[in-house]
Amino acid sequence: MPGKLKAKIVAGRHLPVMDRASDLTDAFVEVKFGNTTFKTDVFPKSLNPQWNSEWFKFEVDDEDLQDEPLQITVLDHDTYSANDAIGKVYIDIDPLLCSEAATRICGWFPIYDTIHGIRGEINVLVKVDLFNDLNSFRQSSCGVKFFCTTSIPRCYRAALVHGFVEELVVNEDPEYQWIDRIRTPRASNEARQRLISLMSGELQRKIGLKVLEMGGNAVVGYLQCFDLEGESGLVVRAIGTASPNTNTHSNTAPASNACNSPSKDSKETLPSSSPPPFSPSKPCSRQSSSSDTDLSLTPKMGKTSPPPHAPHPEFPFFTLTCFPPGFLVHVGGVVSARSVKLLDRIHNPDEPETRDAWWEEIRQEIKSHAKALGCHAVVGYSESTSICEEVCILSASGTAAMLNPRFMREGCLDDASPPSCGFCHIPYDEFNMPFPAQLTYCYRCRRQKVPDVLFTTIDLPAEAAVTGKGCLIQARLCRTKKKAQGEVNATAISNLLPFMEYELHTQLMNKLKLRSMNALFGLRIQISVGENMLLGLASATGVYLSALPAPGGIQVAGKTPSDLNYDQHIATMQKRINDTITKNKELYNIHPPESTEELVGSPIPDRQRSRLFRSTSESSDELLELDLSHGKKDAFVLERGSVTMSINMFVSSGFYSCNTEVMPGIYNWTSGLQMFTSVRVYRLSNANLTNQGLNKIFTELCENLLKSLYFKLRSMIPCCLCHVNFTVAVPEEELIQMGAVRLNCVCVCGCVFVCLFVSGSGENEDQLQFSMELCADSTPSNNQPTSKPSERCSPLPEGRSRSLRSTRSMPCGAPVAVVKMTPLSFLPGTRIVKYLGIINMFFIRETTSLREEGGVSGFLHCFIAEVFAMVRAHVAALGGNAVVSYSMKECVFMENPNKNQAQCLINVSGDAVIFVRESEQEATPPLMSSGQISSTGADGTT
């Protein structure tokens, strides 16, 4: 299916001064796609050039349209020397290749340089015309739509859900090639950025081809990751959930999804009409041969059966975390697998069999764990890596589940009304359980057995009955290791991993009991490897499920010689634990009914009742005995240090936190929403710290990060922080990076003042830092504010501040509101009416003047602000007004304080959408340009 790509360069503004004699710039533009390059005329002596070029036309195959980005380079013309580079813009053409795509990309794009950051803007128009091609051996997957959201996309209807797709591509990393010794830092960064963009496009095309072979036309829960293997090479991986080839409904009848709505009262609606038939200017998806794996998540006009060429797989995997009511029959619990590998140099990028084999082993292990739990599927599945020099830790996790076979055969069930306790019932045989557990009859139906505690990686099902409110629960762990190389290092890490994961689960269990809760949702465990330490961070949302029994108390016991002081200390600690549990019950409004029902099922073996548990703290050598027969409650042994940390949990009144999309137990949402991103870097001052000392530092680092956000939001109480997402890395020796804490501040309890303040990114531009104009084809509504931001907020040089804040209209139209950003799949108080495509961008920023840019704090803050500006610009150019399911998958920071240098790499993704407010009948005006940035927290500590 060949096509024609057309690009037009309209104008530029706020360019930097490149000629010191005249304080002006002689700018021109190179437009490159593939091996073809066009140039505009030189516009002399101006910081706001008006090129108004002709249409540059590229005749290319649709395969190249998917792989290649449109590369726009702005340069300063020099007569007697080489032209100076000002910056570049990469435009992804893939959003224009879908049958529901926008007809063009039009807007102001920030001109980005990997050394100096944003250096002005350029106005570009891009169009694509595709022609029908009858060649059955095509190598493109035009027409396949991608979604980053891990739930069924808004304005789509759930149908046959049954498949999994994965792919990876490998290449040599330009940063580590021998030619880098003669490259400038800018050339090396640009080569790396361009290669990653090409690999990302190729990977997406290959994933799309697999979907077409299944007879599908969409990928939901698309997760793409970059593995920077250093001298070994560069790997780009992706997994997702495929969907069958059916028509989508028109945008005139948006539907809300009950499974991920903040309100329990919302319901799905049928699409009102189907899109127009295939036209020559747009591709249509084709159906092809079957595949062993298949998955369907598509909007349907009615109930249909799966096509005969699409058999159900033996064991499906799903990257989705939220499902329609009735889809999940039973949930078995979390299944995970980890593997330590030694990286070897990639000799042939066209044959990535080695990396494929690694992940296949991991998935087979996950599958065997799920089968042991009596389940036939894995939901909420995700994969991640942690790399340090030649060692790579591969991790995969999900939730074992049994799915509704009727849903698999017939699609969405309108009469599906599953019981609120059904998913809690055990899927395995109670007399042949794979692990010791205590079972009781369900506290709601009193017919099926349920476990005493439930861990999952999915969001809380919509039908689940919850008592009280939920909260964020975290477990943190640091372990030192000796420096080693090769196989010795890999062996040491392999020996530590099982014990670290066990301790993280133990901490989660203890903290869950202290809060008087019995279930975890959205569980995510990260293991990060460094040269001399391993970090473990587990985050989840704790709730009290009404169907599960009330959690037992925590009994601290020990065996020591007669020591009155020790006995008093144990008694004091026990009292503090009991008081904490009582206090948390009131705080989270948990008042379960008392039950005298005896526990039934498989008891803990007698040999475990008298087992002595040695404290893992290096500072303690006592042996503690666990008395599991104490009363009729569960008991856990805690380290004295961990007891103190758990009891002294920081709780801020008026704030509610969770790492799921919806806060369990809170339903009175308002429309106020603001996203926050914070990065903190900590350099250890003492390299000879013990495990106990490292644990204390790591815990304080995590808690201080949340405290800083609570402090900034103290005037917005009551408020809920949703989708709190921590990432941790050890990029260098003695350096801990806590970063990419992406969360949403959503006001509750109808506090109007807080609501208006929090939503300042959309309604109040006084907090914006880059007030670059937004342009639209249509004039915005009259109630759109046009307030002018304060100049002292701008991180730009003083000479450019006033020109950036111009409020005059531009050729595309008038200024409109800023593009909203959220890691949630929805915006409270709004309805998504159209998905415009995914935004998947990779940025590199390097500086040789770290101290002059404000140190680590200033450098990271400015870089994250620039990333926000470029993401918003690309969304606005597609006609969107929001980014949902936004995530920062990679945030790698490297510093050399002795040379005053630093480098940061960031990969972001999300779904560009158009939304309308529920209180308004007409849509928020689509945006055609953006460069604005919301108030962002980026804290750095050295």
Side-chain angles (χ1 to χ4, degrees):
M1 191 182 296
K4 181 180 293 186
L5 171 66
K6 298 188 295 184
K8 182 177 183 179
I9 308 300
V10 180
R13 61 184 180 188
H14 317 314
L15 300 184
V17 173
M18 303 298 291
D19 186 356
R20 296 182 180 179
S22 61
D23 286 341
L24 295 171
T25 299
D26 302 324
F28 71 99
V29 180
E30 287 185 353
V31 183
K32 183 178 180 180
F33 190 85
N35 297 323
T36 306
T37 303
F38 293 99
K39 294 182 181 181
T40 66
D41 296 331
V42 176
F43 197 93
K45 301 188 182 304
S46 176
L47 299 181
N48 300 282
Q50 300 289 326
W51 291 289
N52 291 318
S53 70
E54 60 181 355
W55 285 97
F56 301 126
K57 300 178 181 180
F58 304 86
E59 294 183 358
V60 295
D61 294 332
D62 48 1
E63 176 184 355
D64 296 329
L65 286 174
Q66 290 187 288
D67 289 0
E68 293 272 352
L70 180 65
Q71 182 176 333
I72 298 173
T73 307
V74 184
L75 302 103
D76 174 60
H77 176 73
D78 287 330
T79 305
Y80 302 106
S81 62
N83 299 326
D84 297 325
I86 296 177
K88 291 191 176 185
V89 177
Y90 293 95
I91 300 178
D92 185 12
I93 308 300
D94 191 70
L96 296 180
L97 306 181
C98 183
S99 58
E100 294 182 346
T103 58
R104 64 174 183 170
I105 298 176
C106 168
W108 288 95
F109 294 89
I111 303 170
Y112 181 72
D113 179 68
T114 60
I115 304 298
H116 300 289
I118 291 179
R119 310 183 81 187
E121 296 175 285
I122 185 170
N123 190 272
V124 181
L125 281 79
V126 181
K127 293 182 179 180
V128 174
D129 293 327
L130 294 176
F131 307 101
N132 194 11
D133 186 5
L134 300 180
N135 180 11
S136 60
F137 299 99
R138 67 175 188 175
Q139 295 298 314
S140 72
S141 57
C142 290
V144 177
K145 200 163 186 177
F146 289 78
F147 301 90
C148 292
T149 176
T150 56
S151 60
I152 297 171
R154 299 299 175 107
C155 68
Y156 282 78
R157 188 173 179 82
L160 319 171
V161 185
H162 54 92
F164 175 74
V165 287
E166 54 81 23
E167 187 61 84
L168 63 84
V169 294
V170 300
N171 211 320
E172 293 183 344
D173 193 341
E175 184 77 8
Y176 295 90
Q177 292 179 8
W178 66 270
I179 197 173
D180 287 345
R181 298 174 182 174
I182 60 174
R183 275 182 177 169
T184 63
R186 177 183 285 107
S188 181
N189 292 337
E190 290 179 353
R192 198 180 199 186
Q193 193 166 328
R194 172 172 169 76
L195 174 63
I196 291 176
S197 180
L198 291 172
M199 295 175 67
S200 177
E202 179 187 356
L203 180 70
Q204 193 168 323
R205 175 175 57 84
K206 289 184 175 181
I207 289 282
L209 285 172
K210 288 189 174 183
V211 174
L212 289 177
E213 291 176 0
M214 298 177 184
N217 67 353
V219 179
V220 186
Y222 184 69
L223 174 64
Q224 180 174 302
C225 301
F226 296 90
D227 297 336
L228 305 177
E229 297 183 356
E231 295 182 355
S232 298
L234 177 65
V235 178
V236 184
R237 301 176 289 107
I239 58 177
T241 302
S243 65
N245 188 1
T246 56
N247 290 332
T248 56
H249 62 74
S250 66
N251 299 322
T252 58
S256 60
N257 191 338
C259 70
N260 54 12
S261 173
S263 173
K264 287 187 175 180
D265 300 330
S266 60
K267 298 180 180 179
E268 292 185 351
T269 60
L270 282 170
S272 62
S273 61
S274 58
F278 170 77
S279 59
S281 61
K282 292 290 179 184
C284 65
S285 300
R286 64 180 175 90
Q287 296 188 2
S288 181
S289 59
S290 63
S291 176
D292 292 336
T293 58
D294 195 8
L295 182 149
S296 308
L297 276 183
T298 59
K300 291 248 183 184
M301 292 301 298
K303 299 177 183 178
T304 59
S305 298
H309 65 277
H312 293 295
E314 177 186 357
F315 205 102
F317 281 57
F318 301 97
T319 56
L320 305 183
T321 60
C322 189
F323 302 90
F327 180 76
L328 294 176
V329 178
H330 302 302
V331 172
V334 170
V335 287
S336 64
R338 303 187 193 278
S339 179
V340 180
K341 300 294 184 182
L342 281 175
L343 300 174
D344 55 341
R345 187 171 182 84
I346 298 174
H347 300 287
N348 188 357
D350 296 328
E351 297 180 0
E353 283 80 3
T354 301
R355 271 65 175 176
D356 277 329
W358 290 352
W359 288 111
E360 184 59 29
E361 292 174 0
I362 294 287
R363 297 180 191 121
Q364 288 297 329
E365 186 175 348
I366 292 285
K367 186 183 298 185
S368 64
H369 292 331
K371 286 183 177 179
L373 290 174
C375 297
H376 61 249
V378 176
V379 296
Y381 180 73
S382 63
E383 298 174 348
S384 62
T385 61
S386 178
I387 300 173
C388 181
E389 294 183 349
E390 76 278 13
V391 174
C392 176
I393 299 179
L394 288 76
S395 304
S397 63
T399 301
M402 291 185 65
L403 310 181
N404 189 338
R406 185 184 171 192
F407 198 110
M408 305 283 283
R409 292 192 305 266
E410 304 177 23
C412 186
L413 305 179
D414 294 332
D415 58 347
S417 56
S420 60
C421 60
F423 77 95
C424 299
H425 299 161
I426 61 171
Y428 40 84
D429 182 8
E430 65 175 299
F431 299 108
N432 189 23
M433 292 185 295
F435 51 83
Q438 298 288 352
L439 303 179
T440 64
Y441 280 103
C442 176
Y443 275 61
R444 294 188 67 85
C445 69
R446 298 289 177 176
R447 289 178 295 188
Q448 301 292 330
K449 298 291 180 63
V450 297
D452 57 341
V453 67
L454 183 64
F455 284 15
T456 73
T457 59
I458 60 175
D459 287 349
L460 182 70
E463 65 269 22
V466 175
T467 300
K469 294 184 286 288
C471 70
L472 178 68
I473 295 180
Q474 277 193 333
R476 305 119 180 175
L477 187 66
C478 286
R479 285 292 176 265
T480 59
K481 70 176 186 69
K482 295 182 179 179
K483 289 185 180 180
Q485 298 293 327
E487 196 167 334
V488 175
N489 191 24
T491 302
I493 295 173
S494 299
N495 293 335
L496 282 174
L497 280 180
F499 299 98
M500 287 190 64
E501 191 154 10
Y502 173 80
E503 290 187 40
L504 288 173
H505 278 269
T506 301
Q507 284 189 37
L508 289 173
M509 183 71 75
N510 294 336
K511 294 185 178 182
L512 197 67
K513 298 292 183 180
L514 283 173
R515 290 169 173 82
S516 193
M517 297 176 181
N518 55 20
L520 290 178
F521 289 90
L523 176 61
R524 183 186 179 214
I525 298 180
Q526 306 170 64
I527 302 292
S528 298
V529 58
E531 291 184 7
N532 55 4
M533 72 176 72
L534 284 174
L535 297 182
L537 178 64
S539 302
T541 298
V543 298
Y544 183 94
L545 291 178
S546 303
L548 270 57
I554 297 180
Q555 181 72 28
V556 179
K559 258 191 173 182
T560 60
S562 299
D563 187 345
L564 183 61
N565 292 332
Y566 181 79
D567 293 340
Q568 291 178 350
H569 175 72
I570 292 295
T572 302
M573 189 179 301
Q574 184 67 59
K575 183 178 184 303
R576 292 182 63 189
I577 290 175
N578 296 337
D579 293 343
T580 301
I581 293 176
T582 303
K583 180 181 177 181
N584 286 334
K585 285 184 178 180
E586 297 296 328
L587 178 65
Y588 301 112
N589 196 24
I590 298 176
H591 302 288
E594 295 294 333
S595 175
T596 58
E597 184 176 4
E598 293 292 335
L599 296 176
V600 296
S602 174
I604 300 293
D606 292 337
R607 65 180 180 273
Q608 294 187 10
R609 295 179 181 272
S610 59
R611 180 179 298 175
L612 299 180
F613 291 81
R614 183 179 299 274
S615 171
T616 54
S617 172
E618 291 185 352
S619 61
S620 176
D621 293 330
E622 309 106 347
L623 295 178
L624 302 180
E625 182 179 6
L626 176 60
D627 184 11
L628 292 174
S629 61
H630 178 78
K632 296 181 180 179
K633 299 181 179 181
D634 301 329
F636 297 89
V637 168
L638 307 179
E639 301 177 25
R640 282 190 285 177
S642 65
V643 168
T644 304
M645 293 181 185
S646 299
I647 295 176
N648 296 332
M649 296 177 297
F650 174 76
V651 178
S652 181
S653 177
F655 287 100
Y656 305 95
S657 303
C658 65
N659 73 334
T660 53
E661 290 203 341
V662 178
M663 181 69 190
I666 298 180
Y667 306 104
N668 50 338
W669 296 62
T670 67
S671 59
L673 182 145
Q674 174 68 58
M675 186 180 74
F676 292 85
T677 298
S678 183
V679 177
R680 181 162 298 187
V681 178
Y682 186 91
R683 184 170 293 277
L684 299 175
S685 57
N686 184 3
N688 297 320
L689 289 173
T690 62
N691 288 335
Q692 188 175 10
L694 283 174
N695 285 334
K696 183 178 180 181
I697 293 174
F698 189 28
T699 299
E700 291 177 351
L701 187 60
C702 295
E703 291 186 351
N704 289 339
L705 201 54
L706 276 177
K707 287 179 182 179
S708 66
L709 291 170
Y710 291 155
F711 180 79
K712 295 173 184 176
L713 304 175
R714 64 192 182 281
S715 62
M716 305 179 187
I717 294 175
C719 148
C720 176
L721 306 179
C722 296
H723 212 290
V724 179
N725 185 10
F726 278 76
T727 59
V728 60
V730 191
E732 299 176 17
E733 185 181 359
E734 302 175 6
L735 190 69
I736 300 177
Q737 176 185 319
M738 283 295 304
V741 181
R742 297 170 300 282
L743 45 89
N744 274 268
C745 175
V746 182
C747 307
V748 295
C749 305
C751 188
V752 178
F753 172 76
V754 176
C755 171
L756 293 177
F757 187 83
V758 172
S759 58
S761 64
E763 280 76 42
N764 184 2
E765 295 185 4
D766 290 340
Q767 301 176 18
L768 302 181
Q769 295 184 356
F770 286 94
S771 185
M772 302 180 185
E773 297 174 30
L774 306 178
C775 301
D777 289 336
S778 58
T779 304
S781 56
N782 295 330
N783 59 359
Q784 291 291 339
T786 57
S787 58
K788 196 173 182 180
S790 172
E791 291 195 4
R792 65 174 177 269
C793 295
S794 174
L796 299 176
E798 182 65 26
R800 295 166 53 200
S801 297
R802 286 185 291 274
S803 62
L804 269 174
R805 297 184 180 86
S806 171
T807 57
R808 68 182 187 279
S809 298
M810 299 307 292
C812 288
V816 293
V818 70
V819 175
K820 290 182 178 292
M821 299 177 65
T822 173
L824 305 180
S825 63
F826 63 93
L827 291 158
T830 69
R831 297 162 61 192
I832 296 175
V833 297
K834 188 174 183 180
Y835 284 81
L836 303 171
I838 66 170
I839 300 296
N840 196 351
M841 308 175 74
F842 187 89
F843 302 99
I844 302 176
R845 183 76 157 84
E846 187 172 349
T847 181
T848 55
S849 55
L850 181 62
R851 288 187 291 271
E852 291 76 6
E853 294 189 20
V856 175
S857 298
F859 174 72
L860 290 176
H861 178 92
C862 187
F863 184 32
I864 293 175
E866 291 170 339
V867 169
F868 278 24
M870 288 179 281
V871 170
R872 284 192 164 102
H874 284 259
V875 173
L878 288 171
N881 55 12
V883 182
V884 297
S885 301
Y886 173 85
S887 66
M888 187 182 296
K889 301 187 186 70
E890 298 286 344
C891 183
V892 181
F893 175 76
M894 292 164 284
E895 178 192 9
N896 189 338
N898 296 328
K899 295 184 178 181
N900 201 23
Q901 295 177 350
Q903 186 184 51
C904 188
L905 299 85
I906 290 181
N907 170 229
V908 297
S909 64
D911 293 319
V913 301
I914 298 176
F915 71 88
V916 297
R917 299 189 182 278
E918 292 180 347
S919 59
E920 301 175 359
Q921 295 298 323
E922 61 181 18
T924 302
L927 308 182
M928 300 309 299
S929 177
S930 175
Q932 293 171 302
I933 296 175
S934 67
S935 55
T936 305
D939 300 327
T941 304
T942 57

